Amino acid sequence: MCSGRVDPEFVFKALLNGEDGVFIGGCRLNECNYVTHGNYHALNVALLCKRIMEHIGLNPERLNIQFMSAGDGILFAEHMNDFGKTVKSLGPIGISEGINTDVLKSRIEEIIRLIPYIKIAKREKLGSRLTNKADYDGFFTREEIDSLLRDVPSYYIDPDKCQACMTCFRRCPAEAIDGGKNRIHVIDQDKCIKCGTCLEVCPPKFGAVTRIVGGPVPPPVPEDKRMITRKGKKEENA
């Protein structure tokens, strides 16, 4: 598999499953067979994941990325031996960091849920090509990631503006919107992946979707108040 296909979700699902470390191997930088040079993307993903791991209290040394060719068998063995020693010295995940197992699980699950939002928010950086190793450490800063995960947006459909056009209902990639013909749409906040698709596709003439940061989401409209009664032409002309 091309390292360009490495997704942050792969890393955090491995950690969620109790793996003490994750190793990513890719082709040498600037030697990719594809014009996309996916190994630069893999590098950026690894740097991002390391900062997120720090944010949730995990040692970032539990994640390692190295670049080599298919013929570098000895080099690969050396990298794996070194990484194995590092992981062994770090000890069991969570326990060594002083994090309760259930707390760690909850933190990682929340990160996995937010990955679509994180990838959208950082897509420009994830598409960059870092050519200088000196830039690696400061590419994603602690303050940047703290802010990113502190100011996570929520989306809310204003029942007074929703016209049940079903545009957001059809376009939501997480199927987090409960809607239907002549029914005010409601976002299931537990399913919402914070991608903002609903805000982007809501027709401007309605403007029913609101982005909320740093505040509570209003409660959903009661089920018995969700039906939209539309006036017929005869009634309008009466």
Side-chain angles (χ1 to χ4, degrees):
M1 180 182 82
C2 174
S3 59
R5 292 182 60 195
V6 172
D7 190 277
E9 185 174 351
F10 299 169
V11 174
F12 286 100
K13 279 197 171 180
L15 299 176
L16 181 65
N17 289 335
E19 300 299 336
D20 295 322
V22 177
F23 180 88
I24 301 171
C27 298
R28 293 183 184 275
L29 296 174
N30 296 317
E31 293 183 9
C32 180
N33 290 322
Y34 303 99
V35 294
T36 52
H37 285 267
N39 43 12
Y40 278 104
H41 173 76
L43 171 61
N44 297 335
V45 165
L47 296 176
L48 174 61
C49 288
K50 280 176 171 287
R51 285 298 189 210
I52 295 174
M53 289 168 67
E54 281 186 312
H55 179 83
I56 63 176
L58 290 177
N59 192 316
E61 295 304 310
R62 294 186 182 279
L63 174 61
N64 193 321
I65 183 168
Q66 298 292 339
F67 302 97
M68 65 206 84
S69 73
D72 287 330
I74 295 177
L75 180 61
F76 173 71
E78 290 175 350
H79 283 315
M80 292 305 297
N81 286 334
D82 290 343
F83 184 53
K85 292 176 182 177
T86 297
V87 172
K88 186 175 181 179
S89 68
L90 292 174
I93 187 169
I95 296 175
S96 300
E97 287 91 350
I99 307 174
N100 176 273
T101 301
D102 291 335
V103 171
L104 178 60
K105 179 182 177 182
S106 176
R107 291 178 184 178
I108 296 177
E109 287 177 338
E110 179 62 12
I111 292 299
I112 291 174
R113 190 173 75 88
L114 293 175
I115 282 175
Y117 153 71
I118 293 170
K119 291 196 297 185
I120 290 173
K122 296 301 171 184
R123 58 187 163 192
E124 184 174 344
K125 276 194 171 183
L126 289 173
S128 302
R129 294 188 185 182
L130 292 180
T131 57
N132 189 341
K133 283 189 176 182
D135 296 332
Y136 289 6
D137 187 57
F139 190 56
F140 292 103
T141 67
R142 293 178 181 84
E143 295 75 17
E144 176 185 3
I145 299 306
D146 288 347
S147 175
L148 176 71
L149 297 176
R150 180 184 64 244
D151 301 328
V152 177
S154 295
Y155 295 90
Y156 172 72
I157 300 175
D158 188 334
D160 294 328
K161 296 181 179 180
C162 179
Q163 295 300 306
C165 68
M166 298 185 67
T167 302
C168 64
F169 172 78
R170 294 191 181 99
R171 295 287 296 277
C172 177
E175 298 183 352
I177 298 177
D178 179 31
K181 187 176 181 180
N182 294 327
R183 291 181 73 237
I184 293 171
H185 295 2
V186 172
I187 298 175
D188 185 332
Q189 299 298 326
D190 291 331
K191 291 183 180 180
C192 179
I193 58 175
K194 320 297 184 183
C195 65
T197 299
C198 53
L199 179 64
E200 294 177 2
V201 303
C202 181
K205 61 181 178 181
F206 300 147
V209 181
T210 301
R211 185 176 187 267
I212 301 173
V213 176
V217 178
V221 62
E223 188 64 35
D224 60 349
K225 303 291 186 182
R226 290 181 60 187
M227 290 303 298
I228 297 176
T229 302
R230 304 185 188 278
K231 294 181 180 180
K233 290 185 178 180
K234 290 183 177 180
E235 186 178 346
E236 290 177 350
N237 295 330

